[in-house]
């Protein structure tokens, strides 16, 4: 069915042997034959074949309304789709902001070296592993992060690559480290509870293995306790966390728990069942102490008190609205959600409040969109409600693609019913009977939990033809993104749902007037919908008591980067960046100096330490050269190069540009060329003026928000850190981060231990025991392994 017009697919999609076309036929029957089904069908084929084989694509075109041009257009636009076979396992290396500043490029290079992947390729010779760069995995506090298939590893370094591969292969067929099932039975509580967070961040930090150890201990010793899987525990810097809640008595919290600590902690609070087991446990503990000369009690050393100064500093300034119930709520237990007031607001909207009253309440609250632009939510809903045209639609934008942000991922994973309720309320307010969740495919746990929660709501009658018995029709379905940052822009997102390339269009008309399928459509961010449900339950008056004059309520932030206490925080609008960094985040690690906060992802900017008293609200951040964005806060210290940071963000936006408008497509490329030259030591006088001129042109003439805000990181760093740019023109990188401008050398403190030579992956340090070592600069890859391995600090960056 392909003719000469589909050359790109013909060349890029090798057959790879026989292709089972029965799966293609079954997929088409299940998903439909209309042209708008192209993305779901391609996603199903990609999941099954692990790439898009040409015979399968030909069968799609022969059996559906989908044309070869549509397949070529869509499959070459979204990064999820591959046109050549991949390895048995996929290694996804996160290059989000926090991961970048903590060494993600070095980690990816180490994986490629370890697997012997040739330049220009992404798969090893045996076809076992494919290594790919991804924008963000949403586990920023654990940076650098790598995901191998569905197992996530946090805190990696290039030196830990070999052991990470070994651990993955060891557990590839087991349960350790893998994502938990989306559904689980509600926990009865005549027994005590052991609460354990099993969201993506927690699992990446090892909570999956701790959970498996807890289950094993309870089974082996018959301890009278039930395991409760909860959502985000917000204190990512303390994970793995275990909370012990006895049937009677005081609750206890344990931080940074390891597998080997589990038995002592669990059996300290829940006695083994039966005399024989108790005697065996006592004997085991006595023998352990005798053979290991153990003095420290693990249960005591890992226990933390919520009244502890560091925990109070982290939690004290916070107000939990969107994150209400954090660390205690089972995400998939709908009965627990109902017991906590869930769906009360939706019932009111169905039975008591007219659409106008719903919109009036949201307007009175002052709620502004939490996706970045801060547009008044009540006004957006009012426009859609009054717009002509039917049917109307509502969409939850879960395509959180900002590197350095994971707020929406956490909310979707931890509070799926709350977000569903918010979207349903929006539908009632604007007169829509259909809604969609659009969630990025890189968030598999969020996709699973929302899908399961929607199914449970349908089963209970909360959604469907007769929602809550009200006679109102309310259908909500789920769509997955296919890997395009630009689809976070609402018109690009709508195009993607319609089965097209995710390219933005000119506005007006706005989606509230002409959106999905040309009909009035409301697109809201995940956090916005969570707050809408809270407002309709607690009242607008309560919401306006928090925040500032123009920015009401709270804001959820992902606090990551070079800060001691990273995590998921929710603070009232108006708190200062200094309070977030120094008090909540605990400041810098010893020996490092606070330099800046990157706010708002690729669309935001860098606020220097000198302006850290800037309050967190929409207007104040804009005045400081940044924007609120969706809520990523990446803290930078004096070891970070601001020119490199600007290049990193511009590289990201240039790569993610849809290419529709010239200023964004070409202008960002020319800006990136200048930054590449600066970081390579080839900058010239006049480059900074050219960079500024290009930045203003791109920002003023681009079509959508991606292009208009792409220059922000460049302009903010040029304004606040111009001396660093000038140093790069002179051939210096003051932070010692740009590889072309630094050299490694070993000083006279070297003791000849050879650890640096052993750590070097390319043999750039000759093995000379008991003699001062040297670095062969021509061979050095600047991986930093030698400096990390040196026990006396003899390796320097010159």
């Amino acid at each position: 069915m392909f003719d000469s017009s589909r050359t790109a697919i013909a060349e890029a999609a090798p057959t790879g042997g026989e292709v089972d076309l029965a799966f293609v036929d079954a997929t088409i029957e299940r998903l439909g034959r209309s042209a708008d089904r192209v993305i779901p069908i391609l996603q199903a084929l990609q999941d099954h074949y692990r790439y898009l084989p040409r015979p399968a694509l030909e069968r799609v075109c022969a059996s559906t309304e989908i044309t070869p041009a549509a397949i070529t257009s869509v499959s070459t636009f979204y990064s999820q789709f591959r046109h050549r076979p991949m390895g048995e396992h996929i290694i996804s290396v996160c290059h989000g902001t926090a991961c970048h500043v903590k060494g993600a490029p070095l980690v990816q290079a180490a994986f490629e070296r370890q697997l012997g992947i040739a330049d220009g390729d992404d798969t090893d010779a045996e076809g076992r592993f494919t290594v790919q760069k991804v924008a963000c995995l949403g586990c920023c506090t654990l940076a650098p992060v790598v995901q191998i298939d569905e197992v996530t590893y946090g805190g990696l370094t290039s030196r830990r690559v070999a052991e990470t591969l070994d651990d993955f292969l060891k557990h590839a067929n087991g349960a350790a480290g893998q994502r938990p099932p989306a559904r689980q039975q509600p926990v009865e509580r005549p027994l005590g509870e052991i609460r354990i967070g099993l969201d993506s961040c927690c699992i990446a930090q090892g909570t999956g293995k701790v959970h498996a150890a807890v289950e094993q201990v309870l089974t082996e010793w018959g301890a009278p306790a039930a395991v409760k899987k909860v959502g985000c525990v917000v204190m990512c810097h303390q994970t793995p966390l275990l909370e012990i809640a006895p049937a009677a008595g005081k609750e206890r919290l344990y931080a940074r728990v390891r597998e080997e600590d589990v038995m002592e902690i669990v059996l300290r609070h829940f006695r083994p069942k039966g005399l024989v087991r108790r005697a065996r446990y006592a004997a085991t503990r006595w023998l352990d102490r005798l053979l290991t000369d153990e003095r420290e009690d693990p249960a005591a050393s890992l226990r933390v008190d919520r009244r502890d100064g560091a925990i109070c500093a982290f939690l004290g300034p916070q107000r939990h609205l969107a994150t209400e119930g954090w660390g205690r709520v089972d995400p998939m237990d709908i009965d627990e959600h109902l017991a906590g007031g869930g769906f009360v607001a939706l019932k009111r909207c169905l039975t008591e409040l007219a659409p106008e009253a719903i919109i009036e309440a949201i307007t009175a609250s002052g709620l502004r969109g939490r996706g970045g632009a801060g547009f008044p939510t009540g006004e957006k809903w009012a426009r859609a409600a009054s717009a002509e045209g039917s049917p109307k639609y509502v969409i939850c934008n879960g395509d959180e693609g900002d590197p350095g942000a994971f707020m929406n991922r956490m909310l979707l994973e931890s509070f799926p019913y709350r977000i569903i309720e918010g979207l349903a309320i929006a539908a009632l307010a604007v007169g829509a009977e259909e809604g969609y969740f659009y969630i990025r495919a890189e968030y598999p746990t969020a996709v699973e939990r929302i899908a399961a929660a929607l199914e449970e709501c349908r089963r209970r009658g909360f959604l469907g033809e007769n929602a809550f018995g009200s006679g109102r029709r309310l259908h909500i379905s789920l769509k997955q993104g296919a890997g395009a940052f630009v689809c976070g822009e609402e018109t690009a997102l709508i195009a993607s749902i319609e089965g097209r390339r995710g390219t933005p269009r000119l506005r007006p008309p706005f989606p509230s007037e002409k959106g999905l399928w040309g009909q009035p459509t409301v697109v809201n961010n995940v956090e916005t919908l969570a707050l809408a449900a809270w407002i309709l339950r607690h009242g607008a008056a309560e919401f306006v008591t928090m925040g500032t004059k123009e920015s009401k309520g709270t804001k959820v932030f992902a606090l990551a980067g070079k800060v001691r206490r990273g995590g998921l925080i929710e603070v009232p609008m108006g708190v200062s960046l200094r309070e977030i960094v120094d008090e909540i985040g605990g400041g810098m690690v010893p020996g490092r100096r606070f330099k800046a906060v990157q706010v708002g992802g690729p669309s935001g900017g860098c606020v220097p330490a000198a302006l850290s008293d800037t309050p967190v609200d929409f207007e104040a951040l804009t005045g400081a050269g940044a924007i609120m964005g969706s809520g990523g806060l990446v803290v930078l210290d004096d070891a970070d190069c601001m020119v490199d940071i600007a290049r990193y963000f511009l590289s990201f936006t240039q790569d993610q540009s849809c290419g529709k408008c010239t200023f964004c497509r070409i202008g960002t490329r020319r800006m990136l060329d200048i930054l590449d030259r600066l970081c390579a030591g080839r900058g010239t006088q006049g480059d900074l003026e050219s960079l500024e001129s290009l930045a203003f042109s791109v920002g003023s003439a681009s079509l959508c928000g991606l292009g208009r805000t792409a220059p922000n990181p460049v302009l903010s760093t040029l304004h606040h850190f111009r001396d660093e740019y000038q140093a790069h023109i002179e051939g210096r990188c003051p932070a010692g981060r740009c590889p072309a401008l630094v050299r490694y050398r070993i000083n006279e403190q070297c003791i000849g231990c050879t650890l640096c030579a052993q750590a070097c992956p390319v043999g750039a340090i000759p093995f000379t025991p008991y003699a001062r070592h040297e670095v062969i600069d021509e061979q050095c890859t600047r991986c930093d392994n030698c400096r990390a391995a040196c026990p006396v600090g003899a390796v320097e960056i010159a």
Side-chain angles (χ1 to χ4, degrees):
M1 294 295 104
F2 284 84
D3 55 26
S4 59
S5 66
R6 84 304 189 219
T7 304
I9 288 184
E11 293 177 350
T15 60
E18 292 297 321
V19 176
D20 174 22
L21 296 178
F23 177 80
V24 181
D25 296 334
T27 298
I28 292 170
E29 287 299 320
R30 176 170 58 88
L31 296 178
R33 302 175 185 275
S34 59
D36 65 289
R37 308 307 295 164
V38 57
I39 292 178
I41 289 175
L42 291 182
Q43 286 174 325
L45 299 184
Q46 175 91 14
D47 290 342
H48 182 75
Y49 300 113
R50 299 175 66 77
Y51 78 112
L52 299 177
R54 178 181 170 187
L57 300 182
E58 290 177 337
R59 179 62 68 92
V60 170
C61 291
S63 305
T64 69
E65 300 173 10
I66 300 170
T67 65
I71 286 183
T72 301
S73 174
V74 169
S75 67
T76 57
F77 179 82
Y78 295 98
S79 62
Q80 177 184 1
F81 300 124
R82 290 179 60 93
H83 293 285
R84 58 178 177 172
M86 65 175 67
E88 180 183 352
H89 304 290
I90 303 296
I91 301 175
S92 299
V93 183
C94 180
H95 283 257
T97 313
C99 290
H100 175 79
V101 299
K102 289 193 173 183
L106 299 176
V107 171
Q108 176 152 345
F111 270 107
E112 292 168 347
R113 280 197 305 269
Q114 182 72 23
L115 296 170
I117 296 176
D119 290 343
D121 205 348
D122 62 2
T123 304
D124 62 5
E126 294 77 25
R128 197 172 191 187
F129 288 98
T130 292
V131 179
Q132 65 178 8
K133 174 182 176 180
V134 296
C136 191
L137 290 172
C139 299
C140 311
T141 56
L142 310 179
V145 177
V146 168
Q147 190 177 76
I148 309 181
D149 291 348
E150 296 182 349
V151 183
T152 306
Y153 295 90
L156 287 190
T157 64
S158 55
R159 299 183 67 193
R160 289 184 53 206
V161 162
E163 69 178 71
T164 300
L165 287 169
D166 290 342
D167 180 81
F168 170 77
L169 293 172
K170 178 181 177 181
H171 297 105
N173 297 318
Q178 297 183 12
R179 289 183 292 116
R183 299 283 305 275
Q184 65 181 64
Q185 293 298 318
V187 173
E188 300 291 339
R189 212 195 153 187
L191 310 174
E193 268 182 3
I194 301 174
R195 301 176 188 137
I196 183 166
L198 286 172
D199 69 327
S200 298
C201 279
C202 290
I203 293 170
Q205 193 72 340
T207 307
K209 295 178 181 179
V210 171
H211 170 247
V214 170
E215 295 281 12
Q216 181 179 348
V217 168
L218 294 180
T219 301
E220 180 180 352
W221 295 94
V227 179
K228 181 177 182 179
K229 303 172 186 177
V230 300
C232 180
V233 297
V234 307
M235 294 185 289
C236 301
H237 60 284
Q238 295 276 34
T239 55
L241 275 168
L242 279 183
E243 186 169 22
I244 305 294
K250 187 177 180 181
E251 296 179 354
R252 297 288 186 182
L253 187 65
Y254 295 89
R256 299 187 177 96
V257 179
R258 300 164 299 175
E259 292 176 81
E260 56 265 33
D261 303 322
V262 167
M263 185 172 76
E264 173 66 21
I265 292 173
V266 171
L267 297 184
R268 165 67 61 90
H269 296 280
F270 304 103
R271 299 177 66 189
K273 184 177 182 181
L275 291 175
V276 174
R277 282 174 169 155
R278 291 174 190 170
R280 181 160 66 91
Y281 173 65
T284 300
R285 291 296 300 134
W286 176 82
L287 189 60
D288 285 344
R289 295 175 189 276
L290 179 66
L291 296 179
T292 62
D293 194 28
E294 182 181 309
R295 293 288 182 269
E296 188 176 22
D297 180 357
S301 63
L302 299 174
R303 188 165 62 224
V304 295
D305 192 327
R306 291 183 184 273
R307 295 169 296 180
D308 176 75
I311 293 180
C312 287
F314 183 83
L315 296 176
Q318 299 191 45
R319 294 290 302 274
H320 298 285
L321 278 58
T323 57
E324 185 180 24
W326 64 271
R328 292 177 175 269
V329 177
D330 176 351
M332 302 316 301
D333 187 347
I334 194 169
D335 291 313
E336 185 173 22
H337 180 69
L338 290 168
F343 293 110
V344 167
L346 178 57
K347 289 179 184 177
R348 282 193 64 218
C349 294
L350 281 165
T351 59
E352 300 177 23
L353 300 178
E356 296 80 6
I358 300 173
I359 295 173
E360 183 179 341
I362 295 298
T363 302
S365 73
L367 176 64
R368 297 170 65 174
R370 296 305 196 248
F375 190 81
T377 304
E379 183 178 342
K380 179 183 283 190
W381 289 11
R383 289 185 181 185
S386 62
E388 296 182 358
S390 182
K392 297 178 179 180
Y393 300 95
V394 290
I395 300 172
C396 173
N397 184 351
D399 193 55
E400 178 181 58
D402 283 8
F406 57 90
M407 303 77 56
N408 293 345
R409 190 263 310 156
M410 186 284 299
L411 290 169
L412 290 165
E413 288 182 6
S414 301
F415 310 106
Y417 294 111
R418 185 172 301 163
I419 316 304
I420 291 171
E421 182 176 14
L423 187 61
I425 289 171
L428 294 173
V430 305
E433 295 184 341
E434 290 188 35
Y436 293 91
F437 277 91
Y438 186 91
I439 303 175
R440 64 196 307 247
E442 292 88 342
Y443 287 173
T445 302
V447 170
E448 281 188 7
R449 290 184 180 176
I450 288 293
L454 285 172
E455 181 58 33
E456 182 65 16
C457 286
R458 296 185 196 104
R459 191 182 71 81
R460 296 281 186 113
F462 297 171
L463 298 174
E465 295 296 321
N466 185 22
F468 275 105
S470 65
R472 294 288 302 271
R473 180 179 183 273
L474 191 56
H475 287 275
I476 299 177
S477 55
L478 172 65
K479 299 282 187 180
Q480 287 189 60
F485 172 71
V486 72
C487 285
E489 196 277 340
E490 57 185 3
T491 62
L493 181 153
I494 288 170
S496 183
I497 292 179
E498 293 175 346
R500 298 183 285 114
R501 293 166 69 93
T503 54
R505 63 165 173 79
L506 278 172
R507 299 177 299 173
F510 293 94
S512 56
E513 302 159 334
K514 189 176 182 180
L516 187 63
W517 314 118
Q519 301 300 323
T521 304
V522 163
V523 182
N524 281 136
N525 164 266
V526 172
E527 184 183 343
T528 307
L529 294 172
L531 290 173
W534 190 95
I535 290 166
L536 266 298
R537 181 155 59 93
H538 293 274
E542 181 69 18
F543 190 75
V544 300
T545 62
M546 294 166 277
T548 65
K549 180 180 179 181
E550 301 296 333
S551 301
K552 303 296 185 184
T554 60
K555 179 72 188 78
V556 180
F557 289 102
L559 180 60
K562 307 294 188 61
V563 67
R564 287 196 285 186
R565 294 195 290 263
L568 198 289
I569 65 172
E570 184 174 4
V571 294
M573 291 280 200
V575 302
S576 70
L577 289 172
R578 185 184 302 278
E579 183 176 2
I580 291 175
V581 173
D582 288 342
E583 297 182 26
I584 298 176
M588 304 297 99
V589 297
R592 298 260 63 103
R593 176 176 54 83
F594 174 35
K595 187 172 188 176
V597 184
Q598 207 289 326
V599 188
S603 301
C606 293
V607 180
L611 296 181
S612 59
D613 288 322
T614 300
V616 172
D617 65 30
F618 291 101
E619 285 70 30
L621 287 176
T622 300
I627 64 171
M628 183 82 70
S630 58
L633 287 177
V634 180
V635 181
L636 307 174
D637 65 21
D638 53 344
D640 290 308
C641 171
M642 304 312 292
V643 182
D644 174 70
I645 291 294
R647 181 178 67 156
Y648 161 76
F649 278 112
L650 196 65
S651 175
F652 176 83
T653 50
Q654 207 283 324
D655 178 68
Q656 295 295 320
S657 171
C658 73
K660 187 173 183 178
C661 61
T662 306
F663 280 93
C664 182
R665 182 180 69 251
I666 305 299
T668 56
R669 179 67 260 177
R670 297 285 75 81
M671 290 175 67
L672 185 57
D673 288 343
I674 295 174
L675 290 170
D676 283 341
R677 291 202 306 271
L678 290 171
C679 290
R682 294 183 284 105
T684 61
Q685 296 298 331
D687 277 347
L688 304 190
E689 290 73 19
S690 297
L691 195 58
E692 284 178 314
S693 176
L694 282 166
F696 286 119
S697 296
V698 171
S700 60
S702 292
L703 175 66
C704 78
L706 184 146
R708 288 196 297 269
T709 60
N712 285 354
V714 177
L715 289 172
S716 64
T717 52
L718 266 171
H719 179 67
H720 298 298
F721 302 96
R722 198 178 189 91
D723 57 331
E724 286 197 33
Y725 281 86
Q726 187 61 44
H728 281 69
I729 292 177
E730 298 167 1
R732 297 181 294 108
C733 177
R737 287 297 298 265
C738 297
L741 301 182
V742 300
R743 299 290 182 271
Y744 281 77
R745 72 180 189 91
I746 300 174
N747 63 32
E748 62 278 359
Q749 297 180 37
C750 176
I751 59 176
C753 67
T754 75
L755 290 177
C756 59
Q758 296 175 53
C760 181
V762 293
I765 303 177
F767 191 80
T768 55
Y770 308 112
R772 179 177 171 180
H773 301 308
E774 294 183 358
V775 179
I776 302 174
D777 186 67
E778 295 76 14
Q779 293 179 223
C780 178
T781 60
R782 280 66 171 172
C783 70
D784 206 46
N785 280 1
C786 56
R787 194 159 66 107
C790 182
V792 295
V795 181
E796 298 177 336
I797 294 179

